[in-house]
């Protein structure tokens, strides 16, 4: 037992040990906290502050002065028809493109996990390789393939206008799908590899075929991975910028307000930083609400 004289010494050791432990935690956390604050929290707070300002002029040719405008910029956001058109456009894009992309990613992951497939290393690299191509390069490459005057498949592109007003959105969707299927496949495939082999062995002893194992065991167990990739895809859909911006060099059917992010960029180029900041804040809140709402919906269905 510890004597009365030794207790203060033990308490001091514990206090010193606790201090060293907290200091070690602070040393490891500080670099992340500084970078997180400087490049995430500060820009967000600055955007919010900018969105609450407005520009006033004394007379027609007076010098511009930035003053507090309250929610006036947000009123302009919700009155802007181009903003709502761009939001509806990317929502339509996401409703079609995201399920198709995740279905392909799931099929490819199941193929890679199947014991019947030969050359898995080759196919794993082939499926994932498009993700290694930068988005700008991928959009330029597909833009040349779509353009009637540049495409090596002119017999097809001259007959079907893949960059027309009715098809250009789906041309962009094809590029995004081509790039990100491999990324989502890798997440799902990693989830498949984490399934214990004993489950498959028990299913085989019960006479289950590979198709039955995939439908009844693999797919239900990778639902969390599918939800994760779906949330990432929803966020990426609302941030669509690179592909349509590059496609503007190949077609006039894509305007500077084709997507919300393009609208933010074009508004800031006027320049109207206050309205662009308000667009950004509204878009960020919409992304957050949609992501959380999707997670809640899937969790509720899983609980049922």
């Amino acid at each position: 037992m510890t004597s009365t004289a030794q207790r203060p010494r033990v308490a001091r050791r514990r206090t010193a040990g606790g201090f060293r432990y907290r200091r070690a935690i602070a040393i490891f956390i500080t670099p992340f906290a500084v970078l997180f604050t400087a490049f995430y929290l500060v820009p967000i707070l600055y955007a919010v502050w900018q969105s609450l300002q407005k520009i006033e002029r004394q007379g027609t040719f007076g010098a511009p002065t930035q003053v507090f405008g309250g929610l006036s910029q947000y009123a302009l956001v919700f009155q802007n028809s181009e903003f709502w058109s761009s939001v509806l456009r990317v929502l339509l894009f996401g409703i079609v493109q995201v399920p198709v992309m995740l279905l392909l990613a799931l099929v490819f992951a199941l193929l890679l996990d199947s014991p019947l497939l030969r050359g898995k290393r080759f196919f794993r690299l082939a499926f994932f390789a498009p993700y290694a191509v930068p988005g700008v390069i991928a959009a330029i490459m597909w833009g040349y393939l779509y353009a009637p005057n540049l495409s090596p498949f002119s017999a097809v592109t001259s007959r079907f206008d893949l960059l027309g007003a009715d098809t250009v959105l789906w041309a962009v969707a094809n590029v995004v799908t081509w790039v990100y299927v491999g990324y989502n496949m890798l997440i799902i495939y990693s989830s498949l590899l984490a399934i214990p082999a004993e489950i498959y062995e028990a299913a085989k002893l019960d006479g289950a075929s590979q198709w039955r194992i995939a439908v009844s065991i693999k797919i239900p167990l990778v639902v969390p991975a599918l939800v994760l990739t779906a949330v990432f895809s929803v966020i990426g859909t609302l941030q669509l910028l690179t592909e349509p911006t590059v496609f503007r060099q190949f077609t006039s059917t894509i305007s500077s307000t084709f997507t919300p992010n393009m609208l933010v960029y074009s508004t800031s180029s006027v320049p109207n930083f206050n309205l662009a900041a308000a667009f950004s804040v509204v878009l960020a809140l919409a992304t957050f609400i949609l992501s959380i709402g999707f997670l809640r919906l899937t969790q509720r269905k899983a609980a049922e």
Side-chain angles (χ1 to χ4, degrees):
M1 295 181 63
T2 304
S3 63
T4 304
Q6 291 176 330
R7 286 176 182 174
R9 188 181 303 172
V10 173
R12 285 195 298 271
R13 288 177 181 174
R14 289 178 178 176
T15 303
F19 174 75
R20 287 195 296 269
Y21 179 72
R22 290 190 294 270
R23 185 176 61 181
I25 292 176
I27 291 174
F28 284 109
I29 290 179
T30 298
F32 166 79
V34 171
L35 294 175
F36 181 80
T37 302
F39 296 102
Y40 190 79
L41 292 182
V42 171
I44 289 176
L45 294 176
Y46 182 71
V48 173
W49 178 80
Q50 280 277 13
S51 69
L52 298 175
Q53 309 297 310
K54 67 177 182 180
I55 299 296
E56 287 187 351
R57 295 177 182 270
Q58 296 295 331
T60 306
F61 303 102
T65 304
Q66 185 168 271
V67 298
F68 181 75
L71 300 178
S72 59
Q73 299 296 338
Y74 292 97
L76 294 176
V77 169
F78 291 105
Q79 294 170 8
N80 192 300
S81 60
E82 292 180 336
F83 174 73
W84 290 111
S85 297
S86 65
V87 169
L88 292 175
R89 191 175 292 115
V90 295
L91 288 178
L92 176 62
F93 176 95
I95 290 172
V96 176
Q97 187 269 336
V98 171
V100 171
M101 178 178 63
L102 295 185
L103 178 61
L104 289 174
L106 176 61
V107 170
F108 291 159
L110 291 173
L111 286 174
L112 288 179
D113 195 58
S114 173
L116 304 178
L117 182 68
R118 297 293 180 266
K120 291 186 178 181
R121 291 184 179 180
F122 168 78
F123 286 107
R124 184 166 62 240
L125 179 62
F127 293 153
F128 185 73
Y131 182 69
V133 179
V136 174
I137 303 301
I140 293 174
M141 179 184 69
W142 280 98
Y144 277 110
L145 293 176
Y146 289 147
N149 299 329
L150 302 172
S151 175
F153 309 104
S154 57
V156 177
T157 56
S158 60
R159 182 171 301 181
F160 303 100
D161 187 6
L162 300 176
L163 296 176
D166 297 329
T167 56
V168 68
L169 183 65
W170 311 119
V172 173
N174 178 63
V175 179
V176 175
T177 302
W178 182 79
V179 171
Y180 288 100
V181 160
Y183 170 79
N184 293 299
M185 175 214 68
L186 197 62
I187 296 176
I188 299 171
Y189 181 58
S190 301
S191 182
L192 286 171
L193 293 178
I195 299 175
E198 293 81 4
I199 298 178
Y200 299 147
E201 294 173 0
K204 291 177 182 178
L205 290 176
D206 290 338
S209 62
Q210 289 297 325
W211 171 258
R212 187 66 178 175
I213 291 175
V215 173
S216 301
I217 297 177
K218 293 182 178 181
I219 293 178
L221 291 178
V222 298
V223 167
L226 286 171
V227 172
L228 177 65
T229 54
V231 172
F232 288 164
S233 301
V234 169
I235 295 173
T237 296
L238 292 174
Q239 294 179 346
L240 189 63
L241 176 65
T242 302
E243 292 80 8
T245 300
V246 172
F247 273 27
R248 289 194 68 196
Q249 310 304 316
F250 297 94
T251 177
S252 60
T253 57
I254 294 181
S255 66
S256 61
T257 60
F258 191 75
T259 68
N261 268 0
M262 293 178 69
L263 176 61
V264 172
Y265 180 78
S266 63
T267 304
S268 64
S269 301
V270 171
N272 190 343
F273 299 116
N274 306 122
L275 183 58
F279 280 133
S280 301
V281 172
V282 171
L283 184 61
L285 290 175
T287 304
F288 175 78
I289 292 171
L290 284 177
S291 302
I292 295 299
F294 182 81
L295 281 175
R296 293 286 180 87
L297 179 63
T298 52
Q299 289 174 355
R300 185 178 303 173
K301 289 186 175 180
E304 293 175 356

